[in-house]
Amino acid sequence: MDTSVGKPLGRVDGRLKVTGGAKYSAEMPEEGVVHAVIVGSTIATGSIVSVDVKAAKAQPGVLAVLTPDDAPKLAADPVKKQSPTDMVVHALQSRKVQYQNQPVALVVADTLERATYAAALVKVKYRAGKPKVDVKAEQPRAYKPKQINGKPADMDQGKASTDKAAATVDATYVTPYEHHNPMEPHATLALWEGETLTVYDTTQGVFGTRARLAALFGIPPESVRVVCKFVGGGFGSKGSPWSHVVLAALAAKAVKKPVKLVLRREQMFSQVGFRPETQQRLQLQAREDGKLLLVKHDTVSCTSEFDEFVEPSGKSTRMLYASDRITTSHRLVRLSVGTPTFMRAPGEASGTFALESALDELAVKLKMDPVALRLKNHADKDPETGHPWSSKSLKECYRVAGDRFGWAKRDPTPGSMKDGRTLLGWGMATATYPTLRSKASAKATLLPDGTARVLAGSHDLGTGTYTVMTQVAADALGLVPAKVKFDLGDTRMPETPVSGGSQTAASVGSAVKKASLALRDKAIALAVADPGAPLHGVPAAQVTVENGVLVSGGKREDFAALLKRKGLASLDAEASAEAGPEKDQYAMHAFGTHFVEVRVDPDLGEVRVSRCVGAFGVGTVLNAKTARSQLLGGIVMGIGMALMEETYLDPRSARFMTQDLADYHVPVNPDVPDIDIIFVPESDPHVNELGAKGIGEIGITGVTAAIANAIHHATGRRIRSLPLTLDKVLATS
Ligand code: MOS
C-alpha cells in the first residue's frame, strides 16, 4: 500500500476554508450573544483618577460598563510567571496605567455598533506621568534578565585566542518594533453555565488558556473548556492569553450572557504583544584564512514596566559557528509600552540579521567569498553544549542552493553587476532554528464503517496540522487518508502543547503516530485471538494492514468486519509521546540557507527582491506541499521584515502610531518573486518518532541579512538597521 507521509496531499480542510464553512472563534453559533468593546487608555503611564460611565450606561442596549472600580476581582494568578501578561495591569484590576491603549473600561451591549458607540462616551480622567520611550536613552539603566528561554542571559564559551586577528568587525545592528498582524483578529466568545466556563478563543494554546482562566477565576481546569477549530494566523501573538480573553470571561459573568470580544486592528497594535526593538552590537575577529577567533554579540531590547520578556537575539550566535571564543549577553530596558512577546522566530529572526550581516562584512574585509567563510567556520558539533548534532545538512544546503542560484558567477565587487541601469546584488545567509518538542497525547478510534477518528487538542494556525496529522495517522493505521478524520482544537481532547516554537508536527505527530500504532496493534490482537476468525492463530507480527484490511498470506479480515464480529461500537487507543534521553545527548536544530538577488534603482533607492533560492535540511518532510508553504511563508515574512515592517512609537506619548495595514506594510504578491525551495534529503533518527524537524519558523531566519548583504553587493552601502528602506539606501552619510 502506498504511504501518505511526504506526499503533497492538499489540505483536508481546504474546501471548508474556501467555501466559508470553516468556523473561526468569533463565528461560533451561540444563541443570544452580546458584544463587548474595550476602552483603551490615552496615556502611557500614570493612573486613573475617575471613570465617568453615565453617558455610556444611558445608551440603548448597553448591558454593563466595567471599570477598575467595579470589575469582578480575579483570583491570585499562580501562572503569571509563565506568561508575559500580568492580568492585574491588563484586566481592569487596578487604576494604574502602564501603556497606551491599556484596557481601562469595557462596554457590553446587545449589538457591536451600540457597544462601540457607548465605548466612545466613556470619559476617563488621568494623572499622567512622563513615559519612557527610547531604548538607547534608557540603556544606562539596562539590567540583566534572569534567563532567556530557560538558559542564562549571558554566556562565555571557549578561550580567547592568541592568534593575530587579520580582520575585525565591530558594528551595531538595530531591529525595530514589529507587530504580528495575523489576518484574523484576536477574538474570544465566552459563556458561563453555572460555574463552568466555555471560551471559543483564537489561540495557539487551548490548554494554556484553560490553565490561565482556571487560575484567574479560581475554578478547577476541568470547569473551563477552550475551543479553537481554526486560527487565521498567530505568529506568536496568540501564544498566550491576553487581556481580551480574560475580559470576555469577566463580562460574560457580569451580564450572564455569552459575550463576544473581537479586537479592532488598531487594538492589535497595543494589547497583544509585539517584537521589541533590539540594539545589537556584534564584534568579530578572524584570522587571515577566515577562521573566527572571537564572536561577541551583546543585545539590548525593551520590555514593559511590569513584565519581563526578552527577545533572545544572541541565541543562534551561541550555536551557529565554531569560534575560539563566543560570548553573548542580553540586557533589558523598561519602557512605558505593553509587554513584548514571541514573534516569528523570536531571537533567531532578529539575531541572525546582526550575525549574518556581520559575517558578510567580515567576508568583504577578508576578500573572502561569504559561503567559503561560513564553510571555514562550520560547527561540526554544537559550540554551546559540545554535543554532536542529531543531524546537520548545512554544507549540502549551501552547495545545492548556491548551484541552483548560480552563485559561482557572482562578481564580488559591489556595484559591478548591472541589468541596464538597475544595480543587481547577490547576497546569502544561513538559516537555523532549534528542533523542539513537548509532551503530547492523542487518541485514535476505529469506527464500525472501518474508518478512523483521531483526536488531539492541538491547533492549525494555517500550517496544515489537520492535513499532516491525517497522513501520519493513516500510515500508522494502514488506511488511506480519506478514511481518517483528524480533529483538534478542544481541551476536551487529549492534551497537547502550545503551537509555538515550531513544535506542533513533531510533538503532536509523535503522539498521533503512537496512538494509531497502538490501535492497529489492538485490532491485530483481536483479529488473531478468536477461534473461527479468519486470522485465528496467525502470529501478530505476521499481520499487516493494507487499506483497512488485516492481511497475512491469503487470510484477511477488514476493520469493519472485525468490529462487527466482536460486537464493538468502536475500538480505541490513547498514547502520549515526549522527548527521550536523546535530547540530552544530541544538539537538535534545523539548518538552511538563503541566496537572494535584489534589483536596486540607483536613483530612487527602490529595492526589489527578484530571486530567492532556499535550501533546508529539516529531517522528514511530512507533506511536500504544506512544508513548502511553511517555508514560503517564512521567507515572505523575511522579505517583509527586511524591507517594510516597522511600527513607529511616538516619542512624546509612547503610543504606537502605526495602527493599521495601510501604514504597517507587509509584502503583497508583486513584492514577492518566485521562491525556489529545496529540501535536502535528511534522515534523523534522534529528534522524534517521525524524524521531522519543525519548519514553522526557520524560513524567516537569515532572510533579512541575505537581503541586506545583497543590497551591499549592489550598492556598496551597508545598512545596519531594519527595515532596509529607500531613504537608507540613498542616504549619503
Ligand atoms: Mo511562534 S513566535 O513560537 O508562535
Side-chain angles (χ1 to χ4, degrees):
M1 184 187 151
D2 251 15
T3 51
S4 176
V5 165
K7 299 266 159 59
L9 181 68
R11 287 170 193 270
V12 298
D13 52 336
R15 179 176 291 269
L16 263 188
K17 281 189 168 171
V18 298
T19 56
K23 288 258 176 295
Y24 288 75
S25 300
E27 301 174 310
M28 295 309 274
E30 283 291 338
E31 285 289 311
V33 171
V34 298
H35 302 263
V37 169
I38 293 174
V39 179
S41 69
T42 54
I43 63 165
T45 183
S47 57
I48 296 166
V49 175
S50 64
V51 187
D52 181 352
V53 300
K54 270 198 256 18
K57 274 195 170 157
Q59 288 305 307
V62 170
L63 300 165
V65 182
L66 303 182
T67 73
D69 295 335
D70 57 11
K73 287 296 160 220
L74 296 167
D77 188 356
V79 273
K80 187 173 79 185
K81 284 186 206 70
Q82 293 168 19
S83 173
T85 59
D86 183 337
M87 288 305 162
V88 173
V89 176
H90 293 291
L92 303 178
Q93 301 295 299
S94 133
R95 283 181 166 229
K96 222 167 164 181
V97 176
Q98 305 211 280
Y99 61 97
Q100 283 273 10
N101 225 349
Q102 175 187 319
V104 291
L106 186 75
V107 177
V108 189
D110 57 351
T111 69
L112 175 62
E113 291 75 11
R114 284 171 156 178
T116 303
Y117 178 60
L121 301 177
V122 173
K123 289 196 182 59
V124 186
K125 273 204 188 115
Y126 300 99
R127 190 171 299 114
K130 189 171 157 32
K132 293 193 273 181
V133 288
D134 189 341
V135 173
K136 262 187 127 167
E138 294 301 321
Q139 224 145 303
R141 285 168 291 285
Y143 72 98
K144 181 175 161 181
K146 286 183 279 299
Q147 50 88 29
I148 58 155
N149 296 85
K151 290 176 176 171
D154 295 2
M155 270 204 181
D156 198 343
Q157 298 146 242
K159 276 204 285 283
S161 174
T162 51
D163 287 2
K164 193 172 138 31
T168 62
V169 172
D170 183 353
T172 297
Y173 302 85
V174 180
T175 68
Y177 295 100
E178 293 159 1
H179 280 80
H180 310 71
N181 278 303
M183 271 167 73
E184 180 204 24
H186 293 63
T188 305
L189 198 169
L191 56 126
W192 290 86
E193 287 150 301
E195 280 301 289
T196 305
L197 172 63
T198 300
V199 298
Y200 303 101
D201 183 36
T202 177
T203 175
Q204 296 172 229
V206 288
F207 289 94
T209 299
R210 180 179 73 164
R212 201 77 201 288
L213 288 172
L216 288 165
F217 286 91
I219 52 179
E222 307 78 61
S223 300
V224 181
R225 180 184 182 194
V226 181
V227 178
C228 177
K229 306 309 280 185
F230 296 95
V231 182
F235 319 129
S237 73
K238 294 173 181 168
S240 32
W242 297 93
S243 56
H244 64 279
V245 182
V246 182
L247 291 173
L250 273 182
K253 204 171 178 104
V255 302
K256 298 190 168 51
K257 288 178 198 296
V259 170
K260 188 193 290 192
L261 205 178
V262 181
L263 293 193
R264 293 191 302 268
R265 182 62 59 179
E266 143 259 332
Q267 293 173 320
M268 292 167 67
F269 280 88
S270 48
Q271 293 168 4
V272 290
F274 54 91
R275 195 198 301 274
E277 177 181 324
T278 68
Q279 300 268 345
Q280 306 177 50
R281 184 174 176 198
L282 217 308
Q283 293 166 264
L284 301 177
Q285 294 177 5
R287 258 178 7 204
E288 192 151 18
D289 63 356
K291 187 183 178 310
L292 285 166
L293 306 174
L294 173 73
V295 179
K296 187 171 188 327
H297 191 169
D298 300 297
T299 170
V300 182
S301 62
C302 68
T303 188
S304 66
E305 287 278 17
F306 51 96
D307 278 330
E308 191 164 287
F309 176 84
V310 190
E311 173 83 7
S313 302
K315 239 171 86 188
S316 3
T317 304
R318 292 176 180 175
M319 48 61 64
L320 196 46
Y321 297 105
S323 168
D324 286 357
R325 184 174 173 213
I326 303 171
T327 151
T328 52
S329 76
H330 296 83
R331 294 292 177 271
L332 282 177
V333 297
R334 292 203 182 273
L335 297 185
S336 312
V337 294
T339 307
T341 195
F342 324 102
M343 179 171 171
R344 310 178 192 159
E348 290 84 4
S350 50
T352 51
F353 171 60
L355 178 63
E356 292 295 303
S357 292
L359 273 172
D360 200 69
E361 298 202 38
L362 186 67
V364 170
K365 286 193 169 165
L366 289 165
K367 296 191 177 23
M368 213 173 155
D369 179 79
V371 180
L373 177 62
R374 285 165 174 83
L375 286 171
K376 177 80 191 171
N377 296 292
H378 182 269
D380 297 327
K381 56 182 173 107
D382 179 13
E384 183 175 0
T385 60
H387 293 149
W389 304 107
S390 62
S391 61
K392 182 175 183 178
S393 311
L394 181 55
K395 288 180 181 172
E396 184 67 359
C397 290
Y398 292 137
R399 198 180 63 74
V400 298
D403 282 356
R404 180 80 60 92
F405 186 85
W407 187 255
K409 294 195 287 283
R410 179 180 185 259
D411 179 340
T413 312
S416 62
M417 293 173 67
K418 285 186 190 176
D419 177 3
R421 54 183 284 281
T422 302
L423 298 167
L424 290 183
W426 289 5
M428 59 80 57
T430 307
T432 189
Y433 195 80
T435 298
L436 307 175
R437 71 180 292 184
S438 302
K439 185 179 178 185
S441 305
K443 181 178 179 183
T445 306
L446 273 176
L447 299 172
D449 62 358
T451 65
R453 185 170 157 81
V454 181
L455 302 177
S458 190
H459 326 87
D460 192 328
L461 313 185
T463 46
T465 312
Y466 278 111
T467 310
V468 169
M469 294 307 141
T470 302
Q471 293 175 278
V472 169
D475 282 3
L477 286 166
L479 286 169
V480 291
K483 295 218 165 169
V484 175
K485 171 101 180 109
F486 175 79
D487 203 5
L488 54 69
D490 193 329
T491 50
R492 290 191 178 164
M493 296 176 184
E495 186 156 350
T496 62
V498 64
S499 286
S502 303
Q503 67 170 348
T504 297
S507 309
V508 182
S510 296
V512 163
K513 182 172 181 178
K514 261 178 97 171
S516 301
L517 287 176
L519 177 57
R520 175 185 179 276
D521 289 348
K522 222 165 157 178
I524 291 173
L526 285 180
V528 300
D530 291 339
L535 289 156
H536 175 64
V538 177
Q542 287 173 23
V543 181
T544 58
V545 187
E546 288 168 34
N547 201 1
V549 186
L550 303 136
V551 185
S552 186
K555 301 174 179 171
R556 11 185 336 118
E557 180 174 38
D558 65 35
F559 282 145
L562 172 70
L563 262 68
K564 191 166 179 212
R565 185 170 58 74
K566 300 294 292 180
L568 293 170
S570 66
L571 183 67
D572 58 44
E574 243 185 287
S576 296
E578 61 189 311
E582 309 81 23
K583 76 171 193 309
D584 302 318
Q585 296 156 0
Y586 295 94
M588 301 177 182
H589 281 258
F591 292 93
T593 183
H594 303 283
F595 286 75
V596 304
E597 177 185 84
V598 297
R599 305 173 75 87
V600 182
D601 184 307
D603 300 316
L604 303 177
E606 187 193 40
V607 177
R608 310 293 293 181
V609 177
S610 45
R611 286 199 296 140
C612 276
V613 178
F616 304 89
V618 294
T620 306
V621 173
L622 297 173
N623 177 316
K625 196 198 280 187
T626 56
R628 180 171 173 276
S629 294
Q630 284 288 90
L631 291 160
L632 282 180
I635 292 169
V636 171
M637 287 177 182
I639 293 173
M641 186 175 178
L643 298 179
M644 300 161 199
E645 293 186 52
E646 175 171 25
T647 312
Y648 291 92
L649 186 67
D650 180 2
R652 295 155 303 181
S653 66
R655 195 170 184 89
F656 285 120
M657 294 184 284
T658 317
Q659 301 202 335
D660 56 37
L661 295 172
D663 287 340
Y664 191 89
H665 293 173
V666 295
V668 296
N669 282 334
D671 298 313
V672 179
D674 280 342
I675 296 175
D676 202 343
I677 308 276
I678 306 164
F679 289 108
V680 170
E682 184 179 81
S683 151
D684 191 321
H686 306 299
V687 279
N688 50 58
E689 281 80 344
L690 305 168
K693 297 178 177 177
I695 53 173
E697 286 160 284
I698 185 173
I700 191 175
T701 70
V703 176
T704 54
I707 293 174
N709 298 343
I711 291 175
H712 178 266
H713 181 233
T715 64
R717 175 161 293 279
R718 180 67 63 181
I719 308 174
R720 301 191 184 92
S721 73
L722 294 179
L724 310 161
T725 45
L726 44 80
D727 53 312
K728 296 174 190 169
V729 175
L730 291 178
T732 47
S733 61

